[in-house]
Amino acid sequence: MTISVWPDNKPLDVAAIRDLPEGERAEQLKLVAKQVRRLVVQMIDIARAGHIGGDLSVTDALVTAAFGVLNISPETADDPGRDRLILSKGHCAAALYSVLALRGFFPVDDLETFMKPLSKLNGHPNRLKVKGVEANTGPLGHGLPIGVGSAIASKLSGKNWQTFVFTGDGELQEGSNWEAAMTAAHRKLDNLVVIVDRNRLQQGARTEETASLDPLADKWASFGWEVAEIDGNDTAALLKAFTQNRNGKPLAVIANTLKGKGVSFIEDRVEWHHKVPSKEQVELALKELA
Amino acid sequence: MNAHSSVANETFDCRVAFSEKLIALAEADPRIVAVCNDSVGSSNLNAFRDRFPDRLINVGIAEQNMVGVAAGLANGGFIPFVCAAGPFLSGRATEQVKADVAYSNYGIVLCAMSPGMAYGELGPTHHSIEDISWMRAIDNLDVLVPADPEQTKAAMDWAVASGRPIYMRVGRHKVPSVTPADRDVAFTFGKIDVTGDGNDVALVATGTLVSRALEAADILKAEGISARVLNVSTIKPLDAETILKAARETKGLVVAEEGVLEGGLGAAVATTLAENHPAKARFLGVTGFAPTGSNDFLLEHFGLTAKGIADAARKLVG
């Protein structure tokens, strides 16, 4: 895969980002997010398949958590006390794989095999095939219950790791999320964060035209969660939310995003849920992401 | 093999053995936790809760969440025993069992309490008669049906030692001990336990039907028909070798189970026979949504009795 947006073409020391002061961290995370977006576009171009809209909307939150906050690295992949990042919206595997590749879990070149026959990079992630993947997601509404179990395990074992679960917004129409939301609040799981990629679009239409989610922040608050509603494409705002005081509760970050963020002709258009760009559109997209 | 005489009179609720064994396992291994759905009483977990209050995770009436939470606990290094009434565990959380447990290859023991028609009068909504068919269809999930308390306990030992994704029925309907006294272990994974060496007919049974098959063998013996009884406590993977041996050495097989015929033990046996050694067989199971009645009444209603098994056997050898 071709990488060309690092300053002076020199890859960032991504392992060091977590230790930078907050302002500098947010700036570097923006560079990593741009890189992830370029990789996603190229992966989908090569595979001629994928979920480009959601990949591009969730990228900033994924990158901020993985590189800016959580203890996630190939060196600690089997450490029982490692932080857990769970991509419940498993159809956005391309974004997750790009993050893991940049973090060194596997060679960036492997991304070219995305969805190819017998590739470890299945259309939805598999923990047994790819280090760094914590849950075999794909069917929606699975990640948060698993995250609740992980957060309980963290407290029971005394190892005190963090669990971050990334859900779609349309995904919240699955009732299992709200079952898990009740358990998390009941057990005061302040080591659990759910990030809702609130791009307001689902596969077939706008969420509010399908099964309304608003007022979404109120829903989480009424379930007993601490809530932060932010610009989910802003790494500084994400950093602040991820590290804010949780008041002894699980935290829901409503990340207001643009589906397709970063590519003008894809942004906020329902048809780009899993549409594949033409060769010309790929070039245009990469130009916009340069 | 020693011939089984008449079946013992004393009967047991397997949940009692389950509860005692779970506590013993948890005493020895801090990784063991119980996860349930407001089923502390019905899963017989009161004593476990008193002994290990922090290690009982009751998520409330939320089966999808329950199985997902178990997967998260397994991810975090624990060995969850998920305890819930069979119909709701197998039916409501099927996709979680598939994706979060089996496909994710977690060492989780899914304990289907009060399976089959144990909740007799409560009706078909509360009967777990499709569970074996549904669970058999999921790759990388072992399906166990211990027939008595000794088998239940031994299966739990194996479950913890193996670290496998497992679906296990834990019976509520009182059953006699069917484990012959001379067995070193009451349960061997993947092996059918054979009682008797009769060459006229093989009675293949699982769970509550095993003691009834043993009684049927006694009835047949009095008529000069010699039967062997195959106790299938591992439904998946099926012990094909013992099934085929019985097919070769007898005139036919009767398969009896407290569940639907479509996709259950009978279907597994039929596939094995058809591919390897076509043989005459009769299949007894639950053939429709049950009318109102107790567990015993319903077993009788569907012919899942010693008499029903013996009748089917006579048709094979006649």
Side-chain angles (χ1 to χ4, degrees):
Chain A
M1 305 287 283
T2 48
I3 296 182
S4 55
V5 296
W6 300 127
D8 310 321
N9 247 349
K10 204 175 134 208
L12 286 184
D13 179 3
V14 289
I17 296 175
R18 211 154 69 99
D19 301 322
L20 295 172
E22 208 168 295
E24 209 178 320
R25 225 186 318 167
E27 286 309 308
Q28 297 232 337
L29 290 169
K30 279 185 199 168
L31 288 174
V32 180
K34 188 172 274 191
Q35 198 64 264
V36 167
R37 287 194 165 91
R38 288 180 62 83
L39 290 171
V40 162
V41 169
Q42 292 172 79
M43 286 168 75
I44 289 172
D45 177 31
I46 294 168
R48 305 310 299 161
H51 290 82
I52 197 163
D55 284 331
L56 296 177
S57 66
V58 79
T59 292
D60 302 291
L62 264 184
V63 164
T64 302
F67 295 88
V69 179
L70 299 178
N71 165 24
I72 289 172
S73 71
E75 297 75 34
T76 58
D78 295 318
D79 179 348
R82 71 191 181 279
D83 289 331
R84 266 70 167 179
L85 185 157
I86 296 171
L87 183 70
S88 191
K89 44 180 290 181
H91 56 286
C92 296
L96 177 63
Y97 294 150
S98 299
V99 163
L100 293 176
L102 287 181
R103 190 63 188 82
F105 282 85
F106 56 86
V108 170
D109 283 348
D110 287 2
L111 295 174
E112 292 178 11
T113 71
F114 180 49
M115 288 204 266
K116 288 276 188 297
L118 304 181
S119 169
K120 65 186 173 190
L121 304 181
N122 190 59
H124 296 92
N126 183 324
R127 64 181 282 269
L128 304 169
K129 293 181 179 171
V130 182
K131 279 255 187 220
V133 169
E134 295 284 359
N136 293 8
T137 51
L140 299 172
H142 284 240
L144 191 52
I146 296 170
V148 168
S150 164
I152 296 170
S154 164
K155 286 182 183 275
L156 258 185
S157 65
K159 295 196 169 80
N160 298 320
W161 64 80
Q162 294 284 315
T163 302
F164 277 39
V165 178
F166 293 78
T167 74
D169 52 357
E171 176 175 7
L172 296 180
Q173 291 156 2
E174 292 281 7
S176 49
N177 291 300
W178 302 102
E179 294 181 1
M182 278 188 268
T183 305
H186 180 79
R187 302 183 76 93
K188 301 183 171 57
L189 300 177
D190 57 2
N191 55 357
L192 175 67
V193 178
V194 64
I195 298 95
V196 180
D197 184 20
R198 184 73 172 116
N199 59 36
R200 308 189 82 87
L201 290 171
Q202 52 194 101
Q203 179 173 283
R206 298 201 163 265
T207 57
E208 302 313 288
E209 291 165 359
T210 308
S212 314
L213 297 167
D214 284 334
L216 188 55
D218 291 352
K219 281 191 172 72
W220 287 97
S222 74
F223 271 73
W225 286 57
E226 190 72 13
V227 182
E229 186 164 10
I230 58 159
D231 177 348
N233 292 127
D234 176 352
T235 54
L238 285 158
L239 265 184
K240 198 165 157 237
F242 290 168
T243 51
Q244 77 167 55
N245 191 332
R246 297 175 196 166
N247 297 314
K249 299 179 197 173
L251 171 67
V253 176
I254 314 291
N256 289 312
T257 57
L258 266 183
K259 200 161 180 175
K261 172 74 179 179
V263 181
S264 59
F265 57 90
I266 298 179
E267 280 180 1
D268 199 32
R269 288 169 201 264
V270 69
E271 66 268 26
W272 281 99
H273 178 75
H274 56 205
K275 191 171 151 183
V276 178
S278 66
K279 293 289 173 191
E280 295 72 33
Q281 287 171 322
V282 168
E283 265 182 48
L284 258 174
L286 290 175
K287 203 171 283 175
E288 290 192 19
L289 292 167
Chain B
M1 276 178 265
N2 71 341
H4 201 280
S5 57
S6 56
V7 175
N9 285 327
E10 196 183 354
T11 57
F12 307 90
D13 177 340
C14 288
R15 293 175 305 164
V16 175
F18 173 84
S19 168
E20 290 168 3
K21 186 67 186 181
L22 190 60
I23 290 170
L25 288 168
E27 296 276 7
D29 190 337
R31 297 173 302 166
I32 287 173
V33 292
V35 185
C36 71
N37 60 337
D38 190 29
S39 55
V40 176
S42 57
S43 298
N44 212 28
L45 290 171
N46 281 307
F48 184 94
R49 178 185 58 192
D50 293 346
R51 177 71 186 82
F52 305 106
D54 296 340
R55 287 157 70 182
L56 175 73
I57 293 119
N58 181 357
V59 301
I61 307 162
E63 290 75 25
Q64 300 179 60
N65 182 36
M66 170 181 68
V67 176
V69 164
L73 283 159
N75 177 295
F78 289 90
I79 302 173
F81 277 71
V82 178
C83 307
F88 314 130
L89 171 59
S90 65
R92 196 62 164 267
T94 318
E95 189 181 85
Q96 279 75 15
V97 173
K98 170 188 165 185
D100 305 356
V101 180
Y103 181 52
S104 299
N105 194 37
Y106 280 126
I108 294 173
V109 193
L110 301 163
C111 306
M113 317 304 290
S114 310
M117 299 180 293
Y119 285 124
E121 300 88 340
L122 299 187
T125 55
H126 283 55
H127 294 167
S128 186
I129 54 172
E130 305 87 355
D131 60 337
I132 300 299
S133 314
W134 291 339
M135 296 297 115
R136 264 192 72 222
I138 296 174
D139 185 35
N140 196 38
L141 183 71
D142 301 330
V143 180
L144 312 182
V145 182
D148 68 10
E150 292 78 14
Q151 285 213 310
T152 302
K153 287 195 253 185
M156 291 167 75
D157 274 329
W158 182 83
V160 171
S162 71
R164 291 276 306 150
I166 290 166
Y167 179 85
M168 179 172 84
R169 276 186 171 191
V170 180
R172 173 198 205 95
H173 187 73
K174 287 196 164 184
V175 289
S177 171
V178 295
T179 304
D182 63 346
R183 299 291 191 270
D184 291 334
V185 281
F187 167 89
T188 304
F189 176 71
K191 286 286 169 215
I192 291 173
D193 191 277
V194 183
T195 296
D197 52 6
N199 283 336
D200 288 326
V201 66
L203 310 179
V204 183
T206 187
T208 47
L209 271 299
V210 175
S211 63
R212 289 155 190 258
L214 290 165
E215 284 176 45
D218 288 345
I219 295 171
L220 293 167
K221 191 177 174 189
E223 299 168 15
I225 299 171
S226 75
R228 68 181 69 180
V229 174
L230 278 61
N231 171 7
V232 187
S233 47
T234 308
I235 305 280
K236 185 186 167 194
L238 185 67
D239 176 2
E241 194 184 328
T242 303
I243 295 286
L244 293 172
K245 185 167 187 285
R248 283 192 298 269
E249 295 177 356
T250 67
K251 293 170 187 156
L253 300 86
V254 178
V255 186
E257 60 194 306
E258 193 175 340
V260 297
L261 293 175
E262 296 81 359
L265 171 63
V269 170
T271 306
T272 303
L273 293 177
E275 285 192 340
N276 300 285
H277 188 92
K280 285 203 289 180
R282 297 255 166 187
F283 301 98
L284 304 179
V286 179
T287 50
F289 290 129
T292 307
S294 68
N295 195 177
D296 272 325
F297 172 86
L298 294 175
L299 288 170
E300 183 115 21
H301 174 81
F302 289 110
L304 298 170
T305 57
K307 181 180 174 299
I309 295 169
D311 287 347
R314 274 187 221 101
K315 286 176 190 153
L316 283 174
V317 300

